[in-house]
Every structure is written in C-alpha cells, then in structure tokens.
Amino acid sequence: MTAVAKVVVDVPTMQTDRPFDYAIPATLEGAIQPGMRVWVGFGRGQRQVAGMVVGVESTSAFAGDLKPILAVLDYAPVLSQAGLALSKWLADTTFAFWITCIQTMLPTMLKVDTVKTVTLGTHPTQEAQALLAGASSVPVADLPEAAVARLVQQNALSLRYEAKDRAKVKTADYVVPADLDFAAEAAKLRANAAKQRELLTLLAHWRENGEEPAVASIQAVTRPQLVAAAKRGWLTLEAREVYRAPYELLDHQAHTKPLALTPEQAQVTSTITAAVTAQQASTFLLEGVTGSGKTEVYLQVMAAALAAGRTAMMLVPEIALTPQMVRRVKGRFGAAVAVMHSGLSDGEKFDEWRRIQRGEAQVVVGARSAAFAPLQNIGVFIIDEEHESSYKQDDAPRYHARDVILHRAAEAHAPVVLGSATPSLESRARAAKNVYQRLVLPHRINQHPLPPVHIVDMRQAYQQGGQGDFSKPLLDALQLRLERHEQSVLMLNRRGYSSFVMCRECGFVVQCPNCDISLTLHMDSHSLRCHYCGHEEPIPTRCPSCGSKKIRYYGTGTQKVEQALHELLPTARVLRMDVDTTRRKGGHERILNAFGAGQADILLGTQMIAKGLDFPNVTLVGVINADNGLSMPDFRAAERTFQLLTQVAGRAGRANKAGEVVIQTFNPDHYAIQFAQNHDYEGFFAQEMAIRHRGDYPPYYYTIKLTVSHPDESQAAKAIYSMSRELTAALSPAAIVLGPSPSAIARLKNRYFYQLVVKYKREPKLDETLTRLLDETQKSTRDGFFVAIDREPQSFL
C-alpha cells in the first residue's frame, strides 16, 4: 500500500491553509519524514510548488487518485516535530497561514523559488524553435510574455515548473598531502626548482603533523602552484563545507572569567539557577535599575545551564544592542555561541541556523526572530529589555517573541528570565498577581547613585540664553564634558533634518503622494523622503501651490541637530547613529566601536542609543525633546516616554565617574517626566495602572485590532462596518468595541485603512468569529481587500 505524506503547500490563502495528501513514490518510501521540504504539483493545471511535510500516514481519506511527490528538497528534516508543533500553534494564535509561520521559522535561504521554463511542445513551430534557439529549455522570464502565452496555447511550447532552492553551502579548498616519499620527489626536481622543493617540504611537514590546511590560510605557496602540484599527484585539493561566521574573530579570544557578584546579584542568580537545575518552567521578572549588573546575572545563569548539560537562549530587542551583547556572551562562551539577527547576510543566518540545528552551538543570542532558533534541550530562556515593542512583529504572523518564548519554555520545562529596568505594565502586573516571580536589583553594582536628572522647561529656555534646539544648561554641560575629555550621549527620537517643509505664504505642506503624511527633509541626500513607503523627491525651491520662494523647514531631526552641534561646539567630534547612518551591514558596530575607542566626544542618535550601551567615559546624557512620544495619540504614550527617558538616563555615570542627565521638555509637569526624573518606576507603575483601570485598557483588558484596507476608501469603509456588525453580534455585552474608524494615518501606499479595536476579558466566541471573518474575506483578496488581525497590538495607530 502506498504511503501518504501530509503536505502544507506554499500557497498562502485561507483555502489552502491545511495539509493536502500526496502519494509517496516507491523510490522515496522510507526517505520522507515530517519536517522535510518537497516539490509537488498543485491544482488542476501544471502548477508546481514547494511544500512542507507535516505528517506521514499509511492511508488517505481522499477517495480519488493522489498526486505523487515530485522531488524531495532535503536529506533530513529542516523542522523537528517540536518545530512543526510550534508553527501550528503560531498559526492558530496569530490568525496567520500555516505555511507563512513555517517560512518565518526558517532562514530565508531555505525558501524555494519557482522558475517557469518552456520546452518544445507536441506541435512545435518555427517561431517556437527560433525562441528556444536550440536550447532544450529556456526560462520564461527571458522571453516575450505575449509570444510565450500564444505558443503555449497552440501546444508549440510546453510550460514546465522547476524548483530553485536558495540554500547554498559555502565551501573552501583544503590541501590533503598524498602518500608519497616527498624527499624522493624532491630529488627528481631540477636544481633551480626552489618553489617546488619548498612546497614538498611543506607537504612532508603537514603529513607528519596530520595537518590538512585551508588553501586560503597558506601564505608561502600560491594557488596556481598548488593546482600544478595536484596534477603531479603530490596532493589533493578537497572542497569542504565552511561556515560564514559573522563574529569569527571573537571566537578565538581568551574567555572572560565570571565576575564576583554583589549579595543582591548572588541571591537573584541562585534563585534562577535553582529553577534551571530543577527544570521548572517558572517565569522570573528581573527588575534591575540601569547598571545593576543584569548582564552578569544572565551570563552566570547561562553557564549553570551549560554545566547541567543543557543549552541557553537570549533575546535582545535591537540590532544596535547586539554587537555589545554578542561581545559579552562570546567573550564568556566563545564559539559555543550562535548569533541570529537581521543585520547578518542570508548566508550567515543560514550557517548560524545550521550550527544550531546540528548541535554545534549551545548558546543563541539574537533579536526577535531568534525565538524560533532550532535549539534543543534548552535549560534557560532570557529576554533582555523585555518591555521593548520591537519584540512584536508588525507583519503576519503578528507574534510577540515573549509569547513564543513562554510557549517554548513550557514545552522544554525551562525557566524564563524577563529582564528590564522598566518592565512593561503587563509583565509587572503579572508579577503583582504572582503569575511571574519578581526579582529585584535596586542598586548599581558600583554602589554609585543613579545620576541626577535635571528638567529644563523649554518654554523659558530661549529667554535664558538657549540657542536653537539647545538650552543653556545643556550647552554648558556639553562644553564642560569637552573640557574634561569626557563623553556625552544626546538622544532625539526623530531622524532626518526637519519634520516637514512648509510654505510661509500659503501654508502648503509637502505631502507624500502615496500616504497621508508629510515628507521628511534629509539634507544628506538633498531630498524629501516618506518614512512609510520610501517615496523620495527633490527639495522644492518654489511652493508647488502658490509659487512663493518662502519655503521653510520646520521641526527637528538628528541631521539638523548634528549640524547645530558643529556650529555651537566646533571642537566637538560628533557621531550620528540613526537608521540613515546604519543602513549598511555592520553600521551599528562601526559607530559604537568608534565611540567606545574615544574617537568622538558626542554620540547623537535616536532611541536605538537609549539602552544596553555601556561606556565608562559617558558622564552626560541629554534628551533634546522629551515630548515627541507624549504627543502620540496612543494609550501607551506615557509608558513608552517614561521607559525611554529612564533607559537613556541610565547610560550616564556607569563607571567611576559621576553622571548627569539633562531632559529638555515643554511639559515639565507631566507625570511620566516627573517619575523619570526621580528614577521611580514603582511610582509610575502605580499611577499608570490607575489611569489604565479607569480607561479599561491593558493590562486590565485583552485587545484585538482588526484592520481592513483597499485602494478605494468607500470599499474599505463598507467592509469594516460589515465585519463590525458580524463581530459585535458574537460578543458579550462585557466586550468594548472602539470604532470602526479611519486609522491614524488613513492612507498608506495608496491604500485606505480602517480599523476597529475589541477590548475584552473573556470572549469564548471571539477567536472562532475572527477566523470565520478572515476566511470569508480571503475570497475578496482578488478584489483588492486586505484584512489583518493583530492580537495584543503594541499600538492602536
């Protein structure tokens, strides 16, 4: 009896979001396992697609003839049974397609492209033969589309589908000395063949010591000489797989020693280590002030997991944080550490993923996507800066890395450590309910106090000697650091030169043609740019509306502040760190290394510089405009502002030199700024929780955001109101529905967005209704509709 493979095909629609049965050919029987990628025919035509085997059974419930599997793309499963189960859980909880979740968990190089080719058909014509020009098959992309379509319909050409697997293994040549008497070979050489004698001496030495060196590592002999020697039979050049190692230099350094722990650190470490030893799936909320030594606690807990024969996983929120954290973790564990984040090339990510899958790495450090790393036998999970919104994925599947880690930890019977100086309100509330165990590090490890924070009221700054975006106290503090040869960090959470360009005659603001948002001025490229769709256009010299030349730049960006610094403090060396200066691979690391080496006096950046950075010579932190986040129409605005200010304040005075923080604001009396000034997380938590309770917001309620978009605004509005009626009918009276309403930015990339938000505590029919709505609307995707469901969105904008 023919065995049957259950295959989820790479066709992400609701109609195909289930396994399909395929016959396993006799030649592949026993070779196909769940977790392997396969190539299959799909649909009534000749279409061929990739798929993932999610099960193998002896029989099928399908009554007709099963299509056979055409090819197997893997020799071994690329997803384990646990990985497949995780992908299904992810699909069910995020309202995403199963195949999309599978692809999210795999590196990009394991994605299979479909290449359409044509061959001569059953009734070839001269035109068809001329198109192929004697080739047996030609990619359709290389031929005129209209001619191909016509000739295929006439059976003059036949359409074929081929799989193009992106997975490419990097190889390097190694020298394998032959089993010869090299002294005898040398005696046969001419007297002047000095290079050949030198090579024979090297070969004899390598064979004697059992060495087979890489060609790239040999300095004394050139590659052509080695190739010639291989033809003489003196050696063999053997291609071997090598890894693209992104941090290879760090793998060979001497390991750092564990640091002596403070009594507070020791207590926290022993509590977590006990859970690692007992294999308890406990969740710890580690609330430690900036500079309290949370990283050393992480390292010693991971070391305890490794000593117990298990592995460890650590997530950090941003690529910008990864270089410093990688240096710390690799410094302790060396080549046992694998790194995964979006700053790596596809090849590097593929090789790091394979090292993890093969068990060659026992520690994984990475950003959000590293939560899916195929690490086995995990002893502890750590999420640093657990409050960060970057742990939430914006596109399908819209998962939160914290939820993925908690799910994996329950399966692995391993503890989770959620670390932060400013935990999310949801996590802190769970600790208050004893769902999480709260651990506290209330003091810095050097026993120095947290830096004093000075609030500058910018409403009065210009009368008191301020210039541009700088108050006099901040300028004086920067000048003092320059005189002392100390370093400063300045944060402005807005990149670009100016927020918008406006005509002073008629008030016209240059808008993006594709989005309802003003364009941001970038002086480095002399252009206006949309940060949502990427549209770019030249800076106008005349107003497009009235023709006036009175075009002015309004608002402040990092480029403008950098220019002002050069004018106000001409001797200061400034490094700017934002999305524009870190686009190239390794951009974050280059800037941070230069600053750490003392090559700049001031590090200016967006929120990416607010956390994780540890530079002993930084004694001043300045916040240019603390109000950017407060003005956002979002219920988390105060929480994010408090977290950002507290985190960036913690960059000052981390070593022996005293630190100072200057925060410029137009809202000095706002409670988020007041609590940040006093480093009072618990006070902020109490006040913000009271406000959330009055407004029926998380963590008192769960939330779901439903978004509909369409190129036609009226169509989007009709669809969201129709779905709202159906959804409301399934909800209990206790649920609260906000909307439908246009999204905060109503048009993006020429699509109109409408949304509604459901706040609820317990709604047994909610998931079922949302799944049905998604199923129904999938049939409308060809008409231009797009529906997104986001569980626990980080923003309602």
Side-chain angles (χ1 to χ4, degrees):
M1 185 175 291
T2 304
V4 175
K6 300 280 187 182
V7 178
V8 179
V9 294
D10 188 4
V11 182
T13 65
M14 191 61 73
Q15 292 76 24
T16 61
D17 194 30
R18 62 181 179 84
F20 289 85
D21 289 355
Y22 283 88
I24 299 177
T27 54
L28 295 175
E29 212 160 315
I32 290 183
Q33 302 173 47
M36 286 182 169
R37 298 171 305 148
V38 292
W39 190 245
V40 295
F42 187 74
R44 296 181 180 178
Q46 300 180 5
R47 186 179 186 184
Q48 294 175 9
V49 297
M52 174 65 72
V53 178
V54 297
V56 175
E57 297 181 0
S58 56
T59 59
S60 171
F62 183 66
D65 293 332
L66 294 180
K67 290 185 177 182
I69 287 177
L70 302 176
V72 180
L73 301 176
D74 303 302
Y75 295 114
V78 294
L79 272 183
S80 63
Q81 288 284 8
L84 288 172
L86 179 63
S87 70
K88 187 67 174 76
W89 169 84
L90 190 65
D92 292 340
T93 56
T94 62
F95 304 98
F97 301 124
W98 194 355
I99 191 64
T100 304
C101 295
I102 288 171
Q103 290 172 343
T104 297
M105 293 175 61
L106 294 174
T108 305
M109 287 187 73
L110 284 178
K111 186 172 175 60
V112 181
D113 295 328
T114 303
V115 179
K116 287 194 290 187
T117 62
V118 286
T119 60
L120 286 177
T122 54
H123 298 88
T125 62
Q126 287 186 346
E127 183 185 3
Q129 291 170 339
L131 271 180
L132 295 185
S136 57
S137 67
V138 176
V140 171
D142 297 341
L143 300 173
E145 187 176 357
V148 169
R150 176 169 44 80
L151 292 169
V152 167
Q153 291 169 5
Q154 297 170 3
N155 292 324
L157 290 176
S158 177
L159 197 61
R160 291 173 54 188
Y161 293 83
E162 296 175 2
K164 182 183 178 183
D165 197 348
R166 296 186 191 176
K168 294 288 185 291
V169 172
K170 183 180 179 182
T171 60
D173 286 338
Y174 283 75
V175 174
V176 180
D179 187 15
L180 293 174
D181 183 345
F182 290 119
E185 292 294 323
K188 300 176 186 177
L189 296 175
R190 299 189 315 273
N192 61 350
K195 286 290 184 183
Q196 292 178 344
R197 280 194 177 82
E198 185 180 351
L199 175 55
L200 288 169
T201 303
L202 280 172
L203 289 169
H205 172 75
W206 290 334
R207 191 179 63 192
E208 183 180 340
N209 292 286
E211 295 179 40
E212 295 177 353
V215 170
S217 68
I218 300 171
Q219 303 292 327
V221 186
T222 64
R223 185 181 184 88
Q225 290 170 330
L226 291 171
V227 171
K231 291 178 180 177
R232 288 172 172 262
W234 295 351
L235 58 90
T236 302
L237 291 176
E238 189 175 289
R240 297 177 185 171
E241 178 185 344
V242 293
Y243 290 126
R244 287 156 279 213
Y247 298 96
E248 190 171 13
L249 292 177
L250 299 179
D251 291 339
H252 306 297
Q253 63 185 357
H255 290 190
T256 59
K257 302 294 184 185
L259 303 177
L261 299 178
T262 65
E264 292 170 352
Q265 285 178 305
Q267 178 62 44
V268 166
T269 303
S270 63
T271 301
I272 301 170
T273 302
V276 173
T277 304
Q279 299 188 15
Q280 292 176 350
S282 308
T283 303
F284 298 97
L285 178 62
L286 177 54
E287 185 181 325
V289 298
T290 54
S292 59
K294 293 188 291 294
T295 302
E296 184 62 27
V297 170
Y298 300 153
L299 292 171
Q300 297 205 18
V301 167
M302 288 192 281
L306 298 186
R310 305 190 78 186
T311 60
M313 178 180 288
M314 180 179 182
L315 301 189
V316 294
E318 302 219 29
I319 302 171
L321 286 180
T322 308
Q324 281 200 328
M325 189 59 76
V326 167
R327 192 169 287 108
R328 296 282 299 274
V329 181
K330 273 193 173 287
R332 190 66 54 89
F333 303 113
V337 181
V339 183
M340 296 189 74
H341 60 74
S342 60
L344 305 182
S345 68
D346 287 345
E348 288 170 338
K349 281 186 276 190
F350 179 49
D351 286 354
E352 290 291 86
W353 183 88
R354 285 187 302 142
R355 284 183 61 221
I356 299 166
Q357 189 194 42
R358 293 169 175 178
E360 297 171 14
Q362 289 76 50
V363 177
V364 170
V365 179
R368 178 179 62 226
S369 60
F372 300 113
L375 197 62
Q376 301 295 316
N377 192 28
I378 306 178
V380 65
F381 296 85
I382 296 168
I383 304 181
D384 190 31
E385 310 291 1
E386 69 86 29
H387 64 277
E388 278 294 322
S389 59
S390 57
Y391 283 124
K392 180 68 186 287
Q393 170 80 9
D394 291 331
D395 303 320
R398 294 172 175 82
Y399 67 91
H400 197 296
R402 181 175 55 218
D403 297 332
V404 176
I405 291 299
L406 290 172
H407 180 79
R408 291 192 70 176
E411 299 290 321
H413 304 290
V416 177
V417 181
L418 305 175
S420 176
T422 55
S424 64
L425 259 68
E426 289 84 350
S427 293
R428 181 63 183 83
R430 288 188 179 113
K433 294 283 187 181
N434 295 319
V435 178
Y436 298 164
Q437 183 176 343
R438 181 169 172 252
L439 304 173
V440 183
L441 293 174
H443 304 105
R444 286 187 159 185
I445 52 174
N446 56 12
Q447 300 306 311
H448 286 188
L450 290 165
V453 179
H454 308 293
I455 304 297
V456 178
D457 187 347
M458 291 301 287
R459 294 172 298 184
Q460 304 164 4
Y462 299 119
Q463 287 78 26
Q464 298 169 354
Q467 298 184 56
D469 296 302
F470 293 91
S471 63
K472 189 174 187 302
L474 181 53
L475 277 174
D476 291 345
L478 286 167
Q479 184 63 50
L480 181 62
R481 267 63 192 183
L482 290 175
E483 293 168 2
R484 291 179 181 172
H485 302 292
E486 296 172 353
Q487 291 177 300
S488 305
V489 168
L490 289 179
M491 187 189 74
L492 171 66
N493 202 20
R494 177 170 284 154
R495 64 191 174 101
Y497 187 86
S498 291
S499 305
F500 59 96
V501 173
M502 187 175 75
C503 172
R504 291 192 59 181
E505 285 286 336
C506 69
F508 176 82
V509 175
V510 183
Q511 298 276 119
C512 175
N514 309 314
C515 313
D516 285 342
I517 197 79
S518 59
L519 295 176
T520 302
L521 175 66
H522 287 257
M523 290 300 287
D524 57 350
S525 58
H526 296 283
S527 65
L528 298 173
R529 195 179 303 157
C530 176
H531 290 171
Y532 288 88
C533 73
H535 170 80
E536 194 167 351
E537 61 184 62
I539 302 170
T541 55
R542 288 182 176 273
C543 173
S545 178
C546 71
S548 167
K549 290 186 177 181
K550 293 186 178 180
I551 295 288
R552 295 293 182 269
Y553 312 143
Y554 292 88
T556 297
T558 48
Q559 290 180 25
K560 186 176 180 182
V561 170
E562 181 184 21
Q563 180 178 314
L565 280 171
H566 289 310
E567 295 170 359
L568 295 170
L569 301 169
T571 62
R573 298 167 297 165
V574 181
L575 278 173
R576 176 163 59 90
M577 187 169 177
D578 55 26
V579 173
D580 298 313
T581 61
T582 56
R583 289 185 190 280
R584 293 186 178 180
K585 183 181 175 184
H588 301 89
E589 191 167 10
R590 280 192 295 274
I591 293 172
L592 294 179
N593 287 345
F595 189 65
Q599 296 173 18
D601 305 300
I602 300 172
L603 176 64
L604 166 68
T606 55
Q607 65 175 2
M608 64 174 65
I609 66 168
K611 47 202 168 287
L613 306 184
D614 190 354
F615 297 110
N617 200 36
V618 171
T619 59
L620 174 68
V621 165
V623 180
I624 304 296
N625 186 351
D627 308 309
N628 278 348
L630 284 176
S631 61
M632 300 294 285
D634 186 46
F635 75 94
R636 285 193 174 94
E639 179 185 6
R640 287 187 177 139
T641 298
F642 171 81
Q643 288 168 340
L644 194 58
L645 294 178
T646 303
Q647 292 284 341
V648 75
R651 300 314 107 205
R654 294 177 69 89
N656 296 323
K657 298 177 181 178
E660 181 185 9
V661 181
V662 177
I663 295 177
Q664 299 183 162
T665 174
F666 289 92
N667 295 281
D669 299 323
H670 193 284
Y671 68 94
I673 292 174
Q674 289 290 315
F675 282 118
Q677 180 180 21
N678 297 312
H679 304 283
D680 186 3
Y681 173 80
E682 291 303 313
F684 173 81
F685 172 72
Q687 179 151 344
E688 184 68 10
M689 285 290 283
I691 294 170
R692 297 280 183 92
H693 188 264
R694 290 198 298 270
D696 296 328
Y697 280 106
Y700 293 99
Y701 276 75
Y702 297 113
T703 56
I704 290 262
K705 182 169 75 170
L706 179 66
T707 306
V708 176
S709 72
H710 193 275
D712 184 328
E713 185 176 10
S714 63
Q715 292 294 320
K718 285 179 185 176
I720 192 80
Y721 275 95
S722 173
M723 295 173 77
S724 176
R725 287 190 293 271
E726 191 171 343
L727 183 59
T728 304
L731 296 173
S732 72
I736 302 169
V737 179
L738 305 180
S741 63
S743 297
I745 302 176
R747 184 172 61 105
L748 282 175
K749 301 179 182 178
N750 285 321
R751 296 183 67 87
Y752 290 88
F753 287 78
Y754 276 76
Q755 69 181 39
L756 64 83
V757 174
V758 180
K759 299 192 288 187
Y760 65 99
K761 291 191 175 181
R762 191 182 302 276
E763 292 294 331
K765 294 183 180 179
L766 180 60
D767 282 14
E768 175 190 337
T769 305
L770 288 171
T771 302
R772 186 177 69 251
L773 284 172
L774 200 57
D775 193 2
E776 292 169 355
T777 55
Q778 277 300 313
K779 299 165 187 173
S780 307
T781 52
R782 66 188 65 181
D783 298 324
F785 287 97
F786 177 76
V787 178
I789 299 174
D790 193 356
R791 188 188 297 276
E792 299 305 323
Q794 290 297 295
S795 170
F796 289 170
L797 298 182

